[in-house]
Amino acid sequence: MLFLKLSLVVIVILALTGSFWWTISISTSSRGHIFRGYRRLQEQLVSDLWDIGELSLGPSRLKEIEFCSEEFENYIPCFNVSENVALGYSDGNEYDRLCGQGSRKSCLVLPPVNYKIPLRWPTGKEVIWVANVKITGQEVFSSGSLTKRMMMLEEDQISFRSASLMFDGVEDYSHQIAEMIGLRNESNLIQAGVRTILDIGCGYGSFGAHLFSKQLLTMCIANYESSGSQVQLTLERGLPAMIGSFNSKQLPYPSLSFDMLHCARCGVDWDKKDGIFLIEADRVLKPGGYFVWTSPLTNVHTFLRDKEKQKRWNFVRDFAENLCWELISQQDETVVWKKTNKKSCYSSRKPGSFPPICSKGQDVESPYYRPLQNCIGGTNSRQWVPIEERATWPFRSNLNKNELELYGLHSEELVVDTANYKTAVRNYWSLLSPLIFSDHPKRPGDEDPSPPYNMFRNVLDMNARYGGFNAALLEAGKSVWVMNVVPTTGPNYLPLVLDRGYIAVFHNWCEAFPTYPRTYDMVHADGLLSLETSQYRRCTMLDLLTEIDRLLRPEGWVIIHDKAPLIESARALTVQLKWDARVVEIESNSDERLLICQKPFFKRQATS
């Protein structure tokens, strides 16, 4: 028996050696680029050799991870309301994010019983499958909110008719906001310096969906909800969203991140807790940026008859003035403030004015779920640049030499990064195009989709660096948006990515990402394995890959670029995750590899 095992090992070693030299010759002839016929060439061989290697392992073969039970199909680690209540959290704080040991589940999350692959973009922005989200028809119509009224339940689909004449359209509403700022319409917001918007308590993303067509990028944040989730439905539409709360912690964005903050009946009581929520809103708002608030509380005709509402409104109005916000317009239930673009405004306030300016020790540029601060942040940042003085989109994406110096970068570094990712995107698409794109990318029985024939709507870049992958996708004309993530364990270029006009967030990848399962069509990780394994961590590579599986939609794709030994380790773990995986060489003399994976669509069986 021992002789047989040794013989198998020798066979595997000889086969791998022959494969190595054969691969070099093929890679050299391809002049360093990823070759297109990988499925019928090297990858089939690698797959066969892997199967032979598994036979030699015998009983020690890696076991596949079990599927989670039905109760976890919408589970988000770190958001356990019942556990938070048991720990004594209340007054809304029970919905806060709390990551601790044991918050992860060592199982694979299955989709709901009747889950269907989302409709392709852009159709999927307006129509989603009811079974894919945790909501009922009754929940759709029982709410009085503007966005929920703009939804129609049609058998097994939810249709979003935000611009329909049958409803109070978001188009009219966004047009009103633009006029209040002094613009002709919302298309001119870009000329006013607005590109990125934080939509607080966003309903189901209809405001952002409309502005998306105007090249405005809107990030939806809302509290964790066990059902009827605003964030889950917005993500199912293929729009930017994540769970975020003003309850007790600072948001994982740097100071001075967004050009506009929007709150339409968002559920935040801005007058509570001595205005600390307004202070956090001010922190993430860029100088010269706009705060838009739509609420019955701001309606003059309403609060004249209600002294309590008038008192609350007066507090918010006066507090905004202390934050150096200028009230530029008020119509019906909507108020628009403009944040000062001059730091001198703070020193011109009356002595002892509240809130005070944060000291340098308090003013953390990129906080990570730190307790809310009772002082004005961002004034110590080198990125204090009014939105009117920044280049407008899309020119903002290419920062000039002086702007790059603010982040300690030379223009040559960004040029090299951009060139590398341009090449990477071309190579990725040459690999994936036969599988996910074609002139008629449809399943049997589907109608021909409308252009751009794109199954990808959103991409999670787990190690964004300067946002180069995002930039390359846009330049290549890919109709996607990217959630750029800057790991807490690496260099912090998060302000740079945001200043380029992209969506970005700070995150510790040993913790669960604050989103629902089945969120992204593609996950990209360049150098992340090297980054995470270079230091002492409390999580494993399997933890990381299991989290990717939770975030990825069925039939979604994973692209991991890293050093060859790490890629081989990850490839071994994909067996446990039940992914279809292929290892691809990049260059003839490179010690780096690509791991291309697809998550299969495993259907949950209906219980009797």
Side-chain angles (χ1 to χ4, degrees):
M1 192 65 183
L2 178 62
F3 176 75
L4 178 61
K5 287 187 176 182
L6 288 173
S7 299
L8 282 171
V9 170
V10 171
I11 291 171
V12 170
I13 291 172
L14 290 173
L16 286 172
T17 304
S19 170
F20 173 74
W21 290 110
W22 176 74
T23 300
I24 284 181
S25 64
I26 289 198
S27 300
T28 304
S29 64
S30 67
R31 299 187 181 183
H33 292 297
I34 300 171
F35 50 88
R36 294 171 182 262
Y38 77 102
R39 269 186 177 268
R40 62 181 181 274
L41 296 175
Q42 183 192 7
E43 304 317 330
Q44 186 59 53
L45 180 61
V46 169
S47 179
D48 293 343
L49 292 174
W50 181 258
D51 292 338
I52 294 173
E54 285 191 309
L55 288 174
S56 67
L57 291 175
S60 62
R61 177 179 176 177
L62 295 173
K63 293 183 179 179
E64 292 185 346
I65 300 175
E66 297 296 323
F67 290 116
C68 301
S69 59
E70 185 177 351
E71 62 185 296
F72 292 111
E73 65 187 25
N74 292 295
Y75 178 70
I76 310 173
C78 304
F79 289 92
N80 190 326
V81 177
S82 58
E83 182 178 309
N84 288 357
V85 170
L87 292 172
Y89 291 91
S90 60
D91 195 23
N93 293 338
E94 64 271 23
Y95 293 96
D96 271 358
R97 176 179 180 276
L98 186 64
C99 285
Q101 295 294 336
S103 60
R104 290 180 180 272
K105 299 296 177 184
S106 56
C107 56
L108 302 180
V109 177
L110 275 174
V113 172
N114 296 316
Y115 181 88
K116 296 181 181 180
I117 299 299
L119 299 171
R120 293 176 179 86
W121 184 271
T123 305
K125 178 163 64 74
E126 301 301 336
V127 181
I128 66 173
W129 301 109
V130 176
N132 290 11
V133 293
K134 193 172 182 180
I135 192 170
T136 65
Q138 182 60 36
E139 287 172 318
V140 170
F141 293 110
S142 64
S143 172
S145 72
L146 176 67
T147 49
K148 286 186 180 179
R149 289 204 313 273
M150 287 189 287
M151 297 166 54
M152 294 192 303
L153 196 61
E154 301 172 350
E155 297 180 358
D156 57 350
Q157 294 180 341
I158 298 177
S159 299
F160 299 82
R161 310 297 187 194
S162 59
S164 171
L165 296 176
M166 296 170 60
F167 299 91
D168 300 325
V170 167
E171 185 172 357
D172 291 339
Y173 173 66
S174 58
H175 188 85
Q176 176 192 357
I177 291 172
E179 288 185 332
M180 292 172 71
I181 292 174
L183 306 171
R184 179 176 296 179
N185 55 50
E186 62 272 28
S187 298
N188 296 113
L189 284 169
I190 283 182
Q191 279 67 49
V194 177
R195 156 67 176 171
T196 55
I197 300 167
L198 185 66
D199 194 5
I200 305 159
C202 59
Y204 298 135
S206 294
F207 183 66
H210 172 66
L211 295 181
F212 196 90
S213 63
K214 311 297 181 183
Q215 297 188 48
L216 296 165
L217 207 50
T218 304
M219 166 61 76
C220 157
I221 62 165
N223 283 333
Y224 165 78
E225 298 170 89
S226 57
S227 66
S229 166
Q230 303 174 64
V231 170
Q232 189 181 38
L233 265 78
T234 300
L235 286 164
E236 189 65 24
R237 299 179 68 182
L239 299 165
M242 61 176 279
I243 297 170
S245 172
F246 278 83
N247 286 338
S248 62
K249 303 288 180 60
Q250 290 184 319
L251 298 169
Y253 308 119
S255 300
L256 319 180
S257 290
F258 295 93
D259 306 315
M260 177 183 284
L261 266 62
H262 173 255
C263 162
R265 304 193 178 194
C266 63
V268 178
D269 293 323
W270 298 106
D271 58 308
K272 301 300 183 184
K273 297 188 178 181
D274 298 322
I276 199 168
F277 304 144
L278 284 167
I279 295 174
E280 175 64 2
D282 176 82
R283 184 187 69 81
V284 298
L285 188 61
K286 289 183 183 293
Y290 300 95
F291 183 88
V292 181
W293 184 29
T294 298
S295 167
L297 200 64
T298 67
N299 192 318
V300 177
H301 303 293
T302 300
F303 66 60
L304 285 177
R305 299 190 301 270
D306 189 324
K307 296 301 181 183
E308 178 61 26
K309 286 185 177 180
Q310 185 174 10
K311 180 181 177 182
R312 295 179 62 190
W313 160 249
N314 288 341
F315 176 89
V316 173
R317 182 195 58 196
D318 295 343
F319 200 91
E321 185 177 348
N322 284 339
L323 289 171
C324 284
W325 293 1
E326 177 190 1
L327 199 163
I328 60 175
S329 187
Q330 183 172 3
Q331 290 183 19
D332 303 323
E333 294 186 351
T334 302
V335 183
V336 179
W337 282 278
K338 183 177 176 65
K339 179 176 175 175
T340 185
N341 54 24
K342 296 181 174 63
K343 293 183 184 179
S344 59
C345 175
Y346 302 113
S347 58
S348 66
R349 298 181 303 167
K350 295 178 181 178
S353 291
F354 184 84
I357 303 296
C358 290
S359 65
K360 286 189 177 182
Q362 294 173 301
D363 200 359
V364 176
E365 183 175 68
S366 298
Y368 186 68
Y369 298 108
R370 194 176 66 144
L372 291 171
Q373 302 294 297
N374 246 326
C375 56
I376 298 174
T379 59
N380 295 303
S381 173
R382 293 177 298 172
Q383 284 82 47
W384 181 281
V385 180
I387 63 171
E388 304 93 337
E389 296 178 15
R390 294 181 180 275
T392 57
W393 181 261
F395 306 105
R396 181 191 290 191
S397 179
N398 301 312
L399 300 179
N400 61 41
K401 180 180 178 181
N402 293 334
E403 289 171 325
L404 288 173
E405 286 178 354
L406 295 174
Y407 312 98
L409 279 181
H410 296 292
S411 55
E412 294 79 10
E413 294 177 87
L414 196 61
V415 169
V416 170
D417 183 73
T418 301
N420 288 342
Y421 277 112
K422 282 183 182 178
T423 301
V425 167
R426 283 198 303 270
N427 289 337
Y428 294 165
W429 253 250
S430 70
L431 267 172
L432 297 176
S433 290
L435 307 175
I436 61 173
F437 301 100
S438 70
D439 291 336
H440 301 287
K442 60 178 182 178
R443 293 181 178 79
D446 285 357
E447 294 181 1
D448 288 351
S450 302
Y453 307 133
N454 194 347
M455 287 178 68
F456 287 165
R457 298 167 292 177
N458 56 7
V459 177
L460 175 68
D461 192 0
M462 299 178 72
N463 187 23
R465 295 191 178 93
Y466 314 142
F469 186 53
N470 194 155
L473 286 170
L474 292 178
E475 189 164 330
K478 310 303 178 187
S479 57
V480 300
W481 64 269
V482 180
M483 175 67 86
N484 296 281
V485 180
V486 174
T488 57
T489 51
N492 181 16
Y493 289 107
L494 184 57
L496 165 65
V497 180
L498 284 155
D499 283 352
R500 296 184 73 181
Y502 307 145
I503 291 294
V505 67
F506 218 32
H507 186 64
N508 177 355
W509 280 117
C510 273
E511 298 173 351
F513 195 71
T515 192
Y516 290 80
R518 303 172 298 281
T519 290
Y520 292 97
D521 297 320
M522 175 188 278
V523 174
H524 176 254
D526 183 1
L528 182 70
L529 300 182
S530 295
L531 179 64
E532 294 296 331
T533 57
S534 65
Q535 50 199 296
Y536 178 77
R537 309 292 290 146
R538 69 175 187 274
C539 59
T540 65
M541 187 184 295
L542 183 59
D543 291 331
L544 195 64
L545 296 180
T546 305
E547 175 64 1
I548 292 175
D549 184 87
R550 187 184 73 86
L551 301 175
L552 197 63
R553 288 193 174 99
E555 297 188 0
W557 292 83
V558 182
I559 300 178
I560 302 176
H561 175 204
D562 224 301
K563 295 177 181 177
L566 291 171
I567 290 295
E568 291 301 333
S569 297
R571 168 67 178 88
L573 294 174
T574 61
V575 176
Q576 294 183 265
L577 296 164
K578 306 175 179 65
W579 291 353
D580 299 324
R582 298 289 184 267
V583 176
V584 183
E585 281 207 355
I586 301 174
E587 296 178 354
S588 57
N589 296 319
S590 173
D591 64 345
E592 297 179 345
R593 301 285 186 275
L594 280 180
L595 179 61
I596 310 289
C597 308
Q598 186 178 30
K599 175 182 175 178
F601 182 5
F602 292 107
K603 290 190 176 182
R604 181 183 294 281
Q605 298 299 315
T607 55
S608 56

